[in-house]
Amino acid sequence: MACHDHSHSHSAGRRFRDAIASEKPLQVMGTVNAYAAMMATKVGYKAIYLSGAGVANYSYGLPDLGLTSLEDVLIDARRITSVTDTPLLVDIDTGWGGAFNISRTVTEMIRAGVAAVHIEDQVAQKRCGHRPNKEIVPVGEMVDRVKAAVDAKTDSDFVVMARTDSLQKEGLNGVIDRISAYVEAGADAIFAEAMTDITMYRQVCDAVNVPVLANITEFGDTPYYTTQELGEQGISMVLYPLSGTRAMQKAALAVYESVRKEGTQVNVLETMQQRKELYEFLNYHSYEDKIDQLFSQNK
Ligand SMILES: C[C@](O)(C(=O)O)[C@H](CC(=O)O)C(=O)O
Ligand SMILES: [Mg+2]
């Protein structure tokens, strides 16, 4: 069935690096599940993202406070990599433990067909990057996390991205000191979390010689800078972790409320994706053709 091309010769990590080199800045779109990943790919995104908050909130009904485990996130990651070759960046929070745990996280992610992960310098009992009172670990402890992750790479093209949540506590100088140490420790890319001013990105990008990601999440601390504005600051990747997902929840809620109140869905049909559209994204008809073929062979 023509649903997934397994003939690619490059690793997921290589494909992610190629995407960074070819689209400037690279838009990385959040895809909360396999079907969302198929839609984003069809629309033309060259890289996609599995959000830690997305797994916690929408797969498990939990807040983004470090409650999910490696296996929880792997399940959702595998579902996505099973249906698309678009390189997937995965949020591994703090890596789920010490050096051995982080090592295992990286090898399992590579085995799952993931292209890149980001690991952050918050304490294990983490918070969303756009919440107050975040606690961070000492720089040495995060350097050890990065070293453990990099050392575990079984594919040298796999991307270990170091995220810093230090702006709140240590200011931009702290951010610069930390990302320099993280790159020195082997980080392949940097995630500058919760920047509050566009000019900060220029300083971050000038401080390191690896690609830098800007997280343009909604309802957070970072204004809605455009890809053009961020590109001008030297940003290589722009992340939209939950944009489509937030819209899905709002649309579904409106449908639940309307059907409950009106006793029919006719008023909200316009907001729904049609069966025909669904089948196009799924390549449904190629499956049916296959069934028809198999039946005719048996006749
Ligand atoms: C990127 C992020 O880590 C995520 O899990 O998607 C979140 C996004 C969000 O809560 O809006 C974060 O920025 O901490
Ligand atoms: Mg997260």
Side-chain angles (χ1 to χ4, degrees):
M1 276 168 233
C3 61
H4 185 210
D5 178 13
H6 288 279
S7 64
H8 59 80
S9 51
H10 298 303
S11 71
R14 184 71 251 162
R15 282 179 273 132
F16 189 62
R17 287 171 190 261
D18 290 347
I20 294 171
S22 67
E23 185 175 306
K24 290 182 176 161
L26 175 66
Q27 290 186 305
V28 184
M29 183 48 78
T31 54
V32 78
N33 57 33
Y35 184 69
M38 292 166 93
M39 288 198 295
T41 298
K42 202 84 167 243
V43 166
Y45 288 96
K46 299 298 174 219
I48 53 178
Y49 178 68
L50 181 58
S51 154
V55 174
N57 301 341
Y58 306 113
S59 289
Y60 291 90
L62 292 169
D64 183 21
L65 294 169
L67 291 160
T68 49
S69 68
L70 167 60
E71 196 57 33
D72 293 335
V73 176
L74 270 177
I75 290 168
D76 286 357
R78 287 192 198 108
R79 287 176 174 174
I80 292 172
T81 57
S82 297
V83 296
T84 181
D85 288 334
T86 308
L88 177 67
L89 167 65
V90 174
D91 180 354
I92 61 167
D93 290 341
T94 60
W96 301 297
F100 289 137
N101 306 87
I102 291 167
S103 174
R104 184 164 166 259
T105 296
V106 166
T107 54
E108 289 299 316
M109 287 289 161
I110 294 173
R111 219 169 256 143
V114 167
V117 292
H118 68 75
I119 184 164
E120 69 205 33
D121 57 10
Q122 290 198 56
V123 295
Q125 204 66 74
K126 58 144 300 166
R127 298 175 187 218
C128 160
H130 296 255
R131 296 290 303 159
N133 305 320
K134 286 185 289 181
E135 291 292 338
I136 49 180
V137 296
V139 60
E141 193 172 331
M142 178 59 178
V143 161
D144 287 346
R145 284 182 189 169
V146 171
K147 281 185 180 161
V150 170
D151 189 58
K153 287 204 269 180
T154 48
D155 166 15
S156 58
D157 284 330
F158 185 76
V159 173
V160 171
M161 183 184 293
R163 160 170 152 176
T164 189
D165 284 73
S166 57
L167 182 69
Q168 213 176 65
K169 269 237 148 107
E170 299 183 346
L172 194 60
N173 289 335
V175 169
I176 304 278
D177 287 350
R178 279 174 176 266
I179 61 175
S180 306
Y182 303 165
V183 170
E184 182 118 333
D188 301 298
I190 288 295
F191 181 141
E193 175 64 315
M195 296 293 113
T196 51
D197 191 275
I198 187 85
T199 59
M200 292 175 172
Y201 291 114
R202 168 52 65 195
Q203 295 185 60
V204 166
C205 293
D206 284 351
V208 290
N209 57 2
V210 298
V212 176
L213 176 143
N215 177 16
I216 308 299
T217 192
E218 295 83 12
F219 322 118
D221 294 341
T222 306
Y224 300 111
Y225 301 124
T226 65
T227 48
Q228 159 123 26
E229 289 168 327
L230 292 162
E232 283 164 8
Q233 303 297 314
I235 285 293
S236 297
M237 293 161 276
V238 184
L239 177 65
Y240 311 91
L242 291 161
S243 308
T245 312
R246 294 190 210 282
M248 291 177 206
Q249 312 319 323
K250 182 148 181 176
L253 181 62
V255 167
Y256 297 156
E257 288 171 344
S258 180
V259 173
R260 186 76 180 149
K261 189 157 155 258
E262 314 286 342
T264 173
Q265 63 273 64
V266 293
N267 296 328
V268 284
L269 285 176
E270 286 289 310
T271 68
M272 295 184 188
Q273 187 174 66
Q274 294 175 22
R275 186 180 300 272
K276 190 168 151 284
E277 297 167 304
L278 168 71
Y279 286 179
E280 270 164 32
F281 284 114
L282 291 177
N283 279 313
Y284 180 90
H285 295 291
S286 73
Y287 287 78
E288 270 196 349
D289 292 349
K290 188 83 184 168
I291 295 173
D292 292 345
Q293 254 178 47
L294 289 172
F295 272 121
S296 60
Q297 277 163 20
N298 289 342
K299 263 175 206 156

